[in-house]
Structures are given as structure tokens and as C-alpha cells.
Amino acid sequence: RVHGEIREVSLMPKIKTHRTSPPEGWDVVEPTLKEFERKMREAENDPHDGKRKCESVWPILRIHHQRSRYIYDAFYRKREITRELYDFLIREKYADAALIARWKKPGYENLCCLRCMQTRDHNFTTTCICRVPKAKREEHNVVECVHCGCRGCATGD
């Protein structure tokens, strides 16, 4: 109560009603981004009965990686989109800017997620097992990352 009045406290966050209009070239990437959005929604609503806690997040991380890789390839490799559209997609969080920044550095071209390279999240302060090249791993071991489900994202693979 404030001076005899009862104020309502909104429990729901405000919805963004004002979005900047997309730049030229949006129609090139829009269908693919909508498809990724549909897949993401399916992955989020997918039941995770019988899966480990970490396994239920793997499909979401995989789609996030694919969407970021699509935007990265469209701008840096295929040159299908403009800098203005690329900046718009990064600003609107369609792609992970930190992950793309890592892909541009040598040795991280195939990185699956940022957690796999952070030493604080792993035993013996090393990187994830999926970052070890397949040639240096034991042959009969099937390796799967605990964080994202990756089976190998080392550059030499």
C-alpha cells in the first residue's frame, strides 16, 4: 500500500512491442531461421523421460549450434548476407557472437559449444574429451561430451 492505494505488481515481464525492422536481405535467411525456431520449440517441448538431466538439453544446444553455424557460413563463407544483416542477427540473438568469434580463430573452427573449451568445467583443468582429436583417442571408445553431446569437434578430425 502506498498512501492508502493498492498498487498491482505485475508478475509477467513486459513484452517487447517495438522491434527494429530487419535490414535488406532478411527474406534470404527468414525461412531457415523460422525452421530453426520451429525445431527449437519442438526440442524444448520434447519429453525427457528416461534421459539423464544433461541429455535433455543436448537437442537444444545442437539446434543453437546449427543456427549460429548457418549465419556464420552465410556471412563469412558464402557471402550471402550483408554486414548490416549479420550485425542485426547478432544483436537480436539469432546467433551466438562468442561462439562465432571462436570459430574465426585457428584450432576452433569446429567448436561445438563454449563450455567444452573452458577448463574450469572439467577434471584436471583440461578441455572436454570431444576436443581431443580422434587419432589420439582409443579406437574402441565412443566418446560423448557430457555438456552438449558432441562426439568430436577437434580441428584435426
Side-chain angles (χ1 to χ4, degrees):
R1 289 190 159 189
V2 178
H3 301 290
E5 293 179 25
I6 298 176
R7 284 189 155 174
E8 275 187 42
V9 177
S10 176
L11 298 177
M12 296 297 294
K14 289 186 178 182
I15 298 172
K16 272 188 173 180
T17 55
H18 183 279
R19 282 192 159 223
T20 58
S21 60
E24 192 175 319
W26 171 253
D27 52 333
V28 174
V29 294
E30 184 181 22
T32 308
L33 292 177
K34 283 192 176 196
E35 180 66 22
F36 280 127
E37 188 177 339
R38 185 190 61 75
K39 286 181 183 178
M40 184 69 81
R41 200 172 297 121
E42 283 178 12
E44 288 170 348
N45 294 331
D46 208 23
H48 53 272
D49 299 335
K51 294 181 182 176
R52 294 182 296 174
K53 187 177 179 181
C54 61
E55 285 178 4
S56 62
V57 183
W58 290 354
I60 296 169
L61 290 171
R62 195 167 289 124
I63 293 167
H64 172 76
H65 175 273
Q66 290 170 349
R67 186 176 59 195
S68 294
R69 180 55 82 169
Y70 168 73
I71 293 169
Y72 171 81
D73 287 341
F75 182 69
Y76 288 104
R77 295 196 177 164
K78 298 177 186 174
R79 308 271 187 221
E80 291 177 346
I81 61 175
T82 62
R83 166 62 78 176
E84 184 183 3
L85 179 58
Y86 175 76
D87 290 339
F88 172 80
L89 293 170
I90 295 291
R91 191 173 52 249
E92 295 295 321
K93 307 285 189 214
Y94 283 101
D96 188 349
L99 188 58
I100 289 176
R102 280 293 172 180
W103 286 338
K104 291 190 268 182
K105 295 185 179 180
Y108 295 100
E109 294 90 359
N110 300 324
L111 184 66
C112 55
C113 70
L114 292 173
R115 279 190 77 186
C116 287
M117 58 166 278
Q118 293 174 346
T119 57
R120 70 169 186 256
D121 293 336
H122 303 285
N123 296 337
F124 311 113
T125 61
T126 60
T127 58
C128 185
I129 189 69
C130 68
R131 296 290 302 148
V132 176
K134 288 181 181 174
K136 294 191 177 188
R137 285 190 241 149
E138 296 175 15
E139 288 182 30
H140 304 292
N141 263 354
V142 176
V143 175
E144 216 169 43
C145 172
V146 178
H147 302 296
C148 62
C150 173
R151 293 191 176 171
C153 61
T155 303
D157 288 347

